[in-house]
Amino acid sequence: MLRLDQIKLNPDQSEEALWERSAKLLRLPRREIRSLRVLRRAVDARESPVLVYTVAVEVAEEQRVLRRCADRRVSVLDEPGYALPEPVDAPEIRPVVVGAGPAGLFAALVLSRCGARPILLERGQPTEQRIRDVNAFWESGLLNTESNVQFGEGGAGAFSDGKLNTGTRDVRHRWILEQMVSCGAPESILTDAKPHVGTDKLHITLQNLRARLLEMGCDIRFGSRLTGLHTENGAVTAIDVTTEAGQYTLPARQVILALGHSSRDTFEMLYDAGVPMEPKPFAVGVRIEHRQADMDAAQYKTYAGHPALGAASYKLACHLPNGRSAFSFCVCPGGQVVAAASETAQVVTNGMSEYARDGENINGALLINVTSEDFGSDHPLAGIAFQRRLERRAYELGGGGYLAPCQRVEDFLAGRPSTGPGKVLPSYRPGVTYTDLRDCLPPFVAESIARALPLLGQRLRGYDQPDALLTAVESRSSSPVRIPRDESGQSGIAGLYPCGEGAGYAGGILSAAADGIRAAEHILYVIGREKS
Ligand SMILES: Cc1cc2nc3c(=O)[nH]c(=O)nc-3n(C[C@H](O)[C@H](O)[C@H](O)COP(=O)(O)OP(=O)(O)OC[C@H]3O[C@@H](n4cnc5c(N)ncnc54)[C@H](O)[C@@H]3O)c2cc1C
């Protein structure tokens, strides 16, 4: 197979044109191309938007064709695949995975596929019940602190845009995407340069993944929270699990901690139990919301709204004179701002979209970096205390009932409270309170956002438009804690395998899933070695 890069089509051309283009590049008649497969599809909107493809092409006498065309865009296709670890016999004491987010689910999948029959504990509820709990919260402000946007099957990303791009390269990524497709995720995630699943399709995928895990003998326990750790000679021997019915102790020798960034009570429990932890820099800020049509027009110009391009997204960053960085994060085209709290009387914002990304607005986080100097302590849990203070202030400023404080950009920049929306209507439920966000944001965050808005507006026309809405507070973009681990994947307590976003080793769905697999690989190695 040959790999052909940088084949460009305009949005009006169908993918059929790829055959013609490939033949031309290879200097062959079209009939000599036996098969063609799209490997990657990207939108380049720097000038007039074009679709940029990478394709795999099958031809006869590959080497001769390659030599003759002598073009940098043509090479021999090299597709390294992920090979699962060797199968093992299920150990008497089953490995335990704590957390059914991407890290925990994919750790459990690899352990199950390799015969280790793990137990998967999740404090939240299965997808079906979780959807009901989250909708009740968004509709009436009744927060279930165990089943919400952060906790439950699928983890923090289950109500999200389901973006699956990552800044890192890992042979496991393709395998993860393939597993998701086989569970019902759209096939486009295998080829799109910026793949996304959307909340609707993610929920289907999660339910099918659960069925697959159960078939392979994985014991999945929802409503089951890790609340205690038993150790002997520096190694884990058992864990306490709390359910609605009470607490029990589960013997355990290998425990994957795939907790996510919001399980604050669990971090506190682990800290008290002597698990080494350190503070980690993170970022806080606001959600900014625009009309999708305006962002499409700014980027796609005359092609705005073209079905081949979909809803436009953006990625922005700038360094500020005060030494801070401001950057966009987790942009959700055609999506909504969501209430993402997991603790009582705190307001937390985030964003999600459906697969179609066809909502009226686009939203994204606008974040400012935070270090331990900003919260005046290097205690490992000081970042959590900082987040909590911020989320409580946002709740109070919103006036209670999980209403979020909200302000028009023009008012924010002018330093006056907003009294209502302009042409951008807020999508956050249960609702917003128009106010002055400076009353809840730390001064350095407010000042940095005010400086960043016009700068980012120079990079993306309309980003700082007067009617864009800022909704506070975006405080859970990454973990404020890291749980150190050694080359064998274990923390200071043997048998504990911290992984994923919460332990500080991933940022996003795909990298968390890959890190969960890494933890599973370590455990399979140990189990395999013990048997031999
Ligand atoms: C609204 C929203 C939108 C997002 N959008 C995107 C996106 O589009 N793309 C992207 O890449 N990332 C997105 N993210 C971030 C992404 O969801 C996380 O990076 C990812 O989920 C981290 O995976 P994880 O498995 O490490 O942790 P999590 O997904 O947080 O999973 C941890 C799980 O552990 C469970 N748990 C915690 N403590 C315990 C305990 N003591 N006992 C039992 N269970 C426990 C939790 O209930 C949770 O289900 C979004 C996040 C949110 C909140």
Side-chain angles (χ1 to χ4, degrees):
M1 280 281 194
L2 293 178
R3 173 188 163 119
L4 277 58
D5 284 294
Q6 292 287 320
I7 304 192
K8 295 181 183 169
L9 301 183
N10 78 48
D12 290 326
Q13 284 178 296
S14 98
E15 288 190 358
E16 268 300 296
L18 291 171
W19 290 72
E20 213 61 65
R21 288 293 175 86
S22 302
K24 199 168 161 203
L25 185 55
L26 297 175
R27 297 206 257 147
L28 289 175
R30 183 191 151 139
R31 64 175 182 283
E32 289 194 22
I33 295 189
R34 292 178 178 164
S35 71
L36 182 148
R37 178 164 55 95
V38 173
L39 298 175
R40 189 169 183 275
R41 178 186 181 275
V43 176
D44 181 352
R46 281 173 296 180
E47 307 284 328
S48 181
V50 284
L51 296 164
V52 185
Y53 287 88
T54 300
V55 296
V57 164
E58 191 190 355
V59 292
E61 296 187 74
E62 200 173 278
Q63 286 302 327
R64 190 179 58 80
V65 173
L66 188 63
R67 266 197 312 277
R68 203 187 51 199
C69 82
D71 190 302
R72 275 188 301 116
R73 289 170 293 173
V74 184
S75 56
V76 173
L77 177 65
D78 176 23
E79 269 185 314
Y82 173 64
L84 280 171
E86 289 293 311
V88 295
D89 295 331
E92 214 165 289
I93 299 181
R94 300 169 73 168
V96 179
V97 179
V98 185
L105 283 171
F106 275 87
L109 183 64
V110 168
L111 288 171
S112 302
R113 285 278 289 265
C114 294
R117 301 189 72 237
I119 297 171
L120 174 57
L121 302 176
E122 168 53 54
R123 68 188 294 167
Q125 294 300 316
T127 303
E128 302 83 336
Q129 179 59 41
R130 191 178 177 198
I131 292 172
R132 287 192 284 275
D133 295 333
V134 167
N135 279 329
F137 176 47
W138 291 347
E139 274 153 28
S140 52
L142 289 172
L143 175 68
N144 180 334
T145 53
E146 290 299 312
S147 177
N148 48 56
V149 169
Q150 308 290 348
F151 299 157
E153 186 176 29
F159 294 82
S160 76
D161 178 53
K163 275 176 287 300
L164 296 171
N165 43 318
T166 154
T168 53
R169 271 175 182 271
D170 190 313
V171 70
R172 298 167 189 85
H173 289 168
R174 171 81 190 182
W175 187 82
I176 293 164
L177 298 177
E178 285 168 355
Q179 304 313 302
M180 292 181 73
V181 168
S182 71
C183 288
E187 287 204 17
S188 57
I189 65 172
L190 297 176
T191 49
D192 279 351
K194 292 187 177 161
H196 82 107
V197 185
T199 295
D200 46 347
K201 307 242 182 223
L202 208 44
H203 289 169
I204 297 166
T205 310
L206 286 169
Q207 291 170 59
N208 289 332
L209 183 54
R210 186 203 317 155
R212 187 164 295 180
L213 285 168
L214 290 171
E215 268 167 31
M216 290 187 292
C218 179
D219 176 353
I220 307 180
R221 304 181 190 180
F222 290 107
S224 300
R225 184 159 47 101
L226 164 73
T227 47
L229 207 58
H230 299 255
T231 58
E232 242 176 67
N233 303 326
V236 65
T237 54
I239 57 174
D240 293 329
V241 181
T242 301
T243 70
E244 231 177 47
Q247 184 180 307
Y248 63 92
T249 298
L250 187 65
R253 294 180 59 208
Q254 292 104 8
V255 180
I256 293 184
L257 295 174
L259 306 170
H261 53 39
S262 287
S263 199
R264 294 163 172 175
D265 51 356
T266 312
F267 285 129
E268 284 158 1
M269 179 277 288
L270 293 170
Y271 181 75
D272 291 342
V275 176
M277 282 182 200
E278 50 194 45
K280 186 181 131 305
F282 57 104
V284 300
V286 295
R287 275 268 140 187
I288 183 165
E289 203 166 7
H290 302 89
R291 285 183 353 152
Q292 182 68 50
D294 292 343
M295 290 294 115
D296 288 347
Q299 292 182 77
Y300 294 160
K301 302 166 190 91
T302 53
Y303 280 108
H306 195 292
L309 298 175
S313 186
Y314 59 80
K315 188 171 182 188
L316 299 168
C318 63
H319 291 293
L320 300 168
N322 63 5
R324 304 270 173 186
S325 315
F327 57 97
S328 65
F329 183 73
C330 189
V331 176
C332 300
Q336 67 193 74
V337 179
V338 296
S342 55
E343 290 184 331
T344 311
Q346 296 170 13
V347 162
V348 180
T349 59
N350 213 304
M352 65 164 250
S353 321
E354 305 278 285
Y355 179 63
R357 286 180 164 173
D358 57 359
E360 191 66 21
N361 290 351
I362 174 172
N363 70 77
L366 171 53
L367 300 179
I368 308 299
N369 65 308
V370 174
T371 66
S372 50
E373 282 162 27
D374 294 313
F375 32 87
S377 161
D378 28 356
H379 188 282
L381 303 181
I384 291 181
F386 175 88
Q387 285 176 322
R388 274 189 174 133
R389 279 197 299 277
L390 209 56
E391 293 166 10
R392 267 192 220 117
R393 280 212 296 270
Y395 182 87
E396 284 158 15
L397 191 62
Y402 298 93
L403 301 183
C406 184
Q407 192 171 17
R408 290 171 59 251
V409 160
E410 183 180 45
D411 295 331
F412 179 75
L413 292 176
R416 61 173 180 245
S418 283
T419 51
K423 68 175 185 178
V424 184
L425 300 178
S427 58
Y428 175 97
R429 289 183 297 154
V432 300
T433 300
Y434 293 98
T435 180
D436 188 348
L437 296 188
R438 286 173 206 270
D439 291 340
C440 78
L441 296 173
F444 77 86
V445 175
E447 185 212 322
S448 302
I449 291 175
R451 283 172 180 256
L453 279 164
L455 288 175
L456 299 178
Q458 285 165 17
R459 294 180 196 174
L460 176 60
R461 184 164 52 82
Y463 185 78
D464 59 341
Q465 61 185 258
D467 281 341
L469 287 180
L470 306 176
T471 309
V473 59
E474 180 95 8
S475 48
R476 309 260 188 108
S477 56
S478 70
S479 185
V481 169
R482 182 188 305 278
I483 307 182
R485 63 187 186 194
D486 62 19
E487 323 78 79
S488 72
Q490 297 175 80
S491 84
I493 294 189
L496 271 193
Y497 294 80
C499 73
E501 174 110 38
Y505 298 98
I509 296 170
L510 198 56
S511 61
D515 201 52
I517 293 177
R518 249 173 248 126
E521 289 164 359
H522 285 303
I523 290 180
L524 288 162
Y525 174 75
V526 171
I527 296 174
R529 209 182 42 186
E530 279 174 356
K531 286 277 170 188
S532 59

